[in-house]
Amino acid sequence: MNESYAGRKMQKDQSCKEKECKGNPPVVQIKNLIKNYGSKGFQSRVLKGIDLTVLKNDFIAIMGPSGSGKTTLLNILSTIDKPTQGTVTLDGRDITRMSNRELSKLRRDKIGFIFQDYNLLDTMNLEDNIALPLSLGGVEGKECVRRARELAALFGLEEHLKKYPYQLSGGQKQRGATCRALVTEPEILFADEPSGALDSKAGRELLECFRKVNEERQATILMVTHDPFCASYARDVYMLSDGRIMCRISRGADRKEFYDRIIDVQTSMGGDFSWE
C-alpha cells in the first residue's frame, strides 16, 4: 500500500472517528504511542507513534504482518507492558502514570481478558470458573450465580455449568473463558487471537457470541487477530505495518464484502500475517 495514500486515509479516518466521539465518550485513547526494546544504543522501535480512539460499544480488530507490533500494542493497552513514550487513557485515566496497585484495581474492575489458552481452573466447574472474578471482588454468592448463569445462557453453556474443564470441548472452554471475562461488566474486553486454538466451527460459534454481546449488551471489544475471517466479525479493522497504523477498514451491511476488502488490503500490504 502506498504510504502517502495510507497516511492521508488514516488522517481522514481519525477525523471521522473524532466526529463519532461527540456524545459517545471514548473508552480508550492512545496518543503518539512509542515502544522501544533493547538497551541504550541498541534499541529497536516496535511502535512508531500510534494514535487510536476506541469508543463505547466499538468492536475493533487489529491486524498486521508478523512483527508489525500488534501484540505489543495489545500488551500495552491491557497494562501488561508499558510504553516508552506517549499516553494511553482508559476510562478517563492515563494508565502510563498509574502505580502498580492502581493498575491491579483497573485490571480487576475495568478490563476483561481473553487469550488463546483458556486459563480455566481445572479444580472448579464451569459455573465457579465464570463466577470467580465476582467472588474475588466480594460479590454476594447468589448474585455471582445469577450473573454467571445469565452469561452462560447467552453463550449456549447453560447445560455445561456443572462440568469441569476436562469435560468440555475447546470451543466450550473458550466461550466459558469469555463469560468469565465479561461477568464483571468491564469497560473493555481485550482478546488475543481468541479463535486461534479452535476449529472452524467452534471459532464461528465464539465469534457469533462476540457479535451478540457487542450488539445486545453494548460490550466494547478490541481483538488482535491474524485471521481475516475472524476480523470480519468486527465493525472496524485497523491494519498495522512496521509499527504504524496504515489504514482503517469499516464494515458495511455485508460481512462477506467486508471480508473480501480485508483480504484485498492484506494482499496489498504483503508480509506474513501469521501469529507473532
Side-chain angles (χ1 to χ4, degrees), residues 78-81 99-113 184 186:
S78 57
T79 74
I80 294 171
D81 199 357
S99 67
N100 288 335
R101 178 175 292 184
E102 290 173 321
L103 286 173
S104 294
K105 188 175 188 303
L106 183 80
R107 291 186 203 106
R108 185 190 71 200
D109 297 341
K110 303 293 184 179
I111 296 175
F113 299 91
T184 58

Side-chain angles (χ1 to χ4, degrees), residues 63 225-234 237 239 255 258-260 262-263 266 273:
M63 297 189 72
T225 181
H226 74 288
D227 181 3
F229 178 79
C230 183
S232 70
Y233 278 82
V237 174
M239 289 286 186
R255 191 178 64 79
F258 188 36
Y259 170 80
D260 290 339
I262 295 169
I263 290 288
Q266 204 177 39
F273 274 71

Side-chain angles (χ1 to χ4, degrees), residues 5-269:
Y5 167 77
R8 290 195 302 271
K9 178 166 175 48
M10 198 60 223
Q11 286 179 351
K12 179 181 178 182
D13 288 339
Q14 281 300 114
S15 175
C16 292
K17 197 72 172 178
E18 287 168 7
K19 290 178 182 177
E20 292 170 19
C21 284
K22 294 180 179 179
N24 188 9
V27 176
V28 173
Q29 279 191 308
I30 307 163
K31 293 185 178 179
N32 191 34
L33 192 67
I34 292 171
K35 179 63 179 180
N36 299 332
Y37 286 109
S39 57
K40 190 173 182 180
F42 298 93
Q43 289 191 338
S44 173
R45 180 156 292 184
V46 179
L47 299 179
K48 303 174 181 179
I50 299 287
D51 293 310
L52 179 65
T53 298
V54 182
L55 301 178
K56 178 74 175 175
N57 196 215
D58 265 351
F59 185 176
I60 287 173
I62 304 289
M63 297 189 72
S66 180
S68 61
K70 56 186 184 290
T71 298
T72 299
L73 176 60
L74 181 66
N75 287 343
I76 291 173
L77 294 180
S78 57
T79 74
I80 294 171
D81 199 357
K82 292 188 176 183
T84 304
Q85 184 179 318
T87 61
V88 180
T89 305
L90 197 158
D91 194 36
R93 302 181 65 193
D94 184 357
I95 66 174
T96 64
R97 299 179 181 275
M98 287 185 178
S99 67
N100 288 335
R101 178 175 292 184
E102 290 173 321
L103 286 173
S104 294
K105 188 175 188 303
L106 183 80
R107 291 186 203 106
R108 185 190 71 200
D109 297 341
K110 303 293 184 179
I111 296 175
F113 299 91
I114 305 171
F115 303 101
Q116 287 179 52
D117 298 326
Y118 324 115
N119 294 330
L120 297 177
L121 297 178
D122 293 333
T123 56
M124 291 183 172
N125 64 30
L126 183 59
E127 182 174 84
D128 290 339
N129 264 288
I130 294 172
L132 181 61
L134 295 175
S135 299
L136 294 175
V139 176
E140 195 264 337
K142 289 183 180 179
E143 178 64 10
C144 291
V145 170
R146 185 191 69 78
R147 286 164 66 174
R149 290 180 178 176
E150 182 182 272
L151 275 172
L154 187 67
F155 279 68
L157 294 169
E158 58 267 57
E159 296 180 3
H160 304 288
L161 284 170
K162 298 306 178 184
K163 293 181 181 178
Y164 287 81
Y166 74 90
Q167 297 172 303
L168 302 171
S169 69
Q172 290 163 350
K173 284 188 278 191
Q174 190 63 305
R175 280 181 279 145
T178 304
C179 290
R180 182 181 59 187
L182 288 167
V183 76
T184 58
E185 300 177 351
E187 289 292 322
I188 188 166
L189 182 67
F190 292 115
D192 184 9
E193 299 284 3
S195 63
L198 305 178
D199 61 39
S200 58
K201 180 177 181 293
R204 282 195 301 272
E205 290 173 347
L206 176 69
L207 293 164
E208 282 295 335
C209 289
F210 276 27
R211 181 194 59 77
K212 187 181 293 186
V213 295
N214 174 252
E215 294 178 358
E216 297 180 10
R217 297 174 71 99
Q218 287 72 56
T220 305
I221 304 170
L222 189 146
M223 170 176 67
V224 164
T225 181
H226 74 288
D227 181 3
F229 178 79
C230 183
S232 70
Y233 278 82
R235 295 184 181 185
D236 295 289
V237 174
Y238 287 86
M239 289 286 186
L240 265 65
S241 180
D242 192 28
R244 297 183 176 91
I245 295 178
M246 302 306 292
C247 66
R248 170 190 175 196
I249 316 167
S250 295
R251 178 178 173 176
D254 186 343
R255 191 178 64 79
K256 175 61 169 64
E257 186 267 342
F258 188 36
Y259 170 80
D260 290 339
R261 283 193 288 133
I262 295 169
I263 290 288
D264 287 344
V265 174
Q266 204 177 39
T267 302
S268 71
M269 290 176 66

